[in-house]
Amino acid sequence: MHNWTRREVLALASALSLPAVAGCLGGLRTAPGATPGLLVSNLPRETNPDVSAGALREQVRANTDFALDLHRARVAAEPADNLFISPLSISLAMAMVWAGAKGETEAQIAETLHYAGEQADLHATFNALDLALEPSADAEKDAFRLDLVNAIWGQESYPFDDAFLDTLAVNYGAGLRTLDFVADPETSRETINDWVADQTEDRIEDLMPEGSITELTRLVATNAVYFKATWEHTFPKDATADTTFTALDGAETTVPMMRHEESFPYAEVDGTQILELPYVGDEASMVVVLPPEGEFTDFEAALDADRFHGLVDALEPREGTVRLPKFTFGSKVGLNKTLKELGMPDAFDHDLADFSGMVEPGTEERLAITDVVHQSFVAVDESGTEATAATGVVVGDESAPMDPFTFAANRPFLFAIRHRETGSVVFLGRVVDAAAAQ
């Protein structure tokens, strides 16, 4: 990443759309065009939710468990690839849809996503987390920015349940923007994609792929995360030099390796090195985990939330030398199969899915998830970090010695971008082939 984009951002968007399976549309207006209107709940967003610090910590740990579950599933599908996801975006977008789930569908989603607590408590906790992630008033906006925005898109004149809309308004600040999926699904898709592109500074221009929105679509839930960060200690550009990186398969390649001598939070636990690279303002950081040589695969497979947070807790300021490759890569992956295998198959089954909490009682249509897509991008250089990601879900029918350390990420490593105060993992990734990430 030689130059920042227009706003040097780390951006993320998530979307879930819900089409109908069967039933009568009743009085839906089907005039051509898909100009969005806005159906607003009478309730304002709760800006001071009654959530204890303990409940927030519990959900952050639970979110990390989901992040690592999803990461392992992706590794199983793509064992030789560099990977990057935003579990927080997926969790937030799914939580908005979970607000309308009932019965076994509700239970499976909660277990798969590791939602801690009942519906009302969970939504309030996510609201508190969202608000806690807002940058402080004195944050240097040119060097650090983190925004989370939610939006709900629904079929105009559709009988959405008032309680469902109230939940989204109070906890996610999301009013329902009406579109006419029935008459013009393609224009509706373009409208949603334009909104996502705007929230992500055009880094994600086609979140919802062609064919993902149809005349059966009834609701799309979207979440965008916008992040910009400069290292607290930028790497000297003249210290970057070509260095050998040994990939997961043992292949050796030459990649540009950044170098810095500075005091960083650092720890070594059972041979695993952990390094924290703070961004300006100390509100967020990148944690880099370097398992012992030859042990990456076993370490990655066994990593859970308790161990991850334990590694972070072991960090202490230390003088040392850091070597980290510059890298840039992205991916787009469908998550239907993964989420089913992780424990929520009913949500995708038109005969079993129960999202009746989204609609008024007596509505005959059944809703089910039809597609989940996640797209991501990350770039790391001497100045800082830039990344973007998007998720679309379609629903329808021990202490180290104090000597100077050396941290040389010249072999496979894991990394997480996290909010320091809450410990929330916003992004999670692995670099197992640095040459493929140039």
Side-chain angles (χ1 to χ4, degrees), residues 28 192 317 345 426 435:
L28 291 181
I192 295 170
V426 182

Side-chain angles (χ1 to χ4, degrees), residues 223-303:
N223 162 264
V225 180
Y226 179 94
F227 177 85
K228 164 189 172 180
T230 300
W231 300 126
E232 182 178 302
H233 304 291
T234 57
F235 288 76
K237 290 188 176 182
D238 59 4
T240 298
D242 288 345
T243 306
T244 299
F245 185 95
T246 304
L248 190 59
D249 63 2
E252 294 185 351
T253 54
T254 300
V255 301
M257 188 79 69
M258 303 183 296
R259 184 179 184 276
H260 205 345
E261 295 182 9
E262 185 58 74
S263 176
F264 292 104
Y266 172 84
E268 183 173 341
V269 179
D270 297 330
T272 293
Q273 293 179 277
I274 310 96
L275 172 73
E276 184 174 30
L277 300 172
Y279 297 107
V280 166
D282 285 334
E283 295 188 42
S285 68
M286 176 181 287
V287 174
V288 188
V289 181
L290 185 66
E293 189 169 359
E295 298 182 19
F296 178 85
T297 299
D298 290 342
F299 176 90
E300 182 180 46
L303 185 62

Side-chain angles (χ1 to χ4, degrees), residues 263-267 312-319 399-400 402 405:
S263 176
F264 292 104
Y266 172 84
V312 172
D313 290 341
L315 293 167
E316 294 182 353
R318 291 271 302 279
E319 295 287 339
S399 302
M402 298 308 293
F405 69 86

Side-chain angles (χ1 to χ4, degrees), residues 62-297:
N63 287 349
T64 306
D65 269 324
F66 168 66
L68 292 168
D69 284 351
L70 186 59
H71 179 81
R72 280 190 295 270
R74 296 231 22 230
V75 169
E78 304 172 76
D81 292 352
N82 302 318
L83 300 175
F84 187 63
I85 58 174
S86 177
L88 180 61
S89 176
I90 298 169
S91 292
L92 285 169
M94 282 300 307
M96 290 190 284
V97 170
W98 186 59
K102 298 290 185 182
E104 186 63 17
T105 300
E106 177 186 4
Q108 289 182 4
I109 293 174
E111 183 175 359
T112 300
L113 276 292
H114 292 270
Y115 291 155
E118 301 298 323
Q119 282 265 5
D121 295 334
L122 184 282
H123 298 304
T125 300
F126 268 132
N127 188 20
L129 178 58
D130 189 335
L131 295 169
L133 291 174
E134 293 182 354
S136 61
D138 57 355
E140 299 180 37
K141 291 187 177 180
D142 290 339
F144 176 78
R145 183 173 177 180
L146 175 59
D147 297 335
L148 285 86
V149 183
N150 302 304
I152 307 298
W153 314 81
Q155 172 63 46
E156 61 183 34
S157 303
Y158 194 70
F160 290 107
D161 184 73
D162 287 343
F164 171 68
L165 298 179
D166 287 346
T167 295
L168 300 184
V170 170
N171 299 289
Y172 300 95
L176 189 138
R177 306 169 187 225
T178 59
L179 296 171
D180 197 344
F181 301 120
V182 175
D184 198 343
E186 181 58 21
T187 300
S188 299
R189 183 181 75 89
E190 292 173 355
T191 298
I192 295 170
N193 282 344
D194 287 346
W195 180 88
V196 172
D198 184 61
Q199 302 304 317
T200 61
E201 291 301 312
D202 297 325
R203 296 299 293 173
I204 297 177
E205 297 182 334
D206 194 25
L207 173 61
M208 306 307 297
E210 188 173 350
S212 62
I213 303 297
T214 73
E215 65 276 6
L216 293 178
T217 298
R218 296 294 173 262
L219 181 140
V220 179
T222 52
N223 162 264
V225 180
Y226 179 94
F227 177 85
K228 164 189 172 180
T230 300
W231 300 126
E232 182 178 302
H233 304 291
T234 57
F235 288 76
K237 290 188 176 182
D238 59 4
T240 298
D242 288 345
T243 306
T244 299
F245 185 95
T246 304
L248 190 59
D249 63 2
E252 294 185 351
T253 54
T254 300
V255 301
M257 188 79 69
M258 303 183 296
R259 184 179 184 276
H260 205 345
E261 295 182 9
E262 185 58 74
S263 176
F264 292 104
Y266 172 84
E268 183 173 341
V269 179
D270 297 330
T272 293
Q273 293 179 277
I274 310 96
L275 172 73
E276 184 174 30
L277 300 172
Y279 297 107
V280 166
D282 285 334
E283 295 188 42
S285 68
M286 176 181 287
V287 174
V288 188
V289 181
L290 185 66
E293 189 169 359
E295 298 182 19
F296 178 85
T297 299

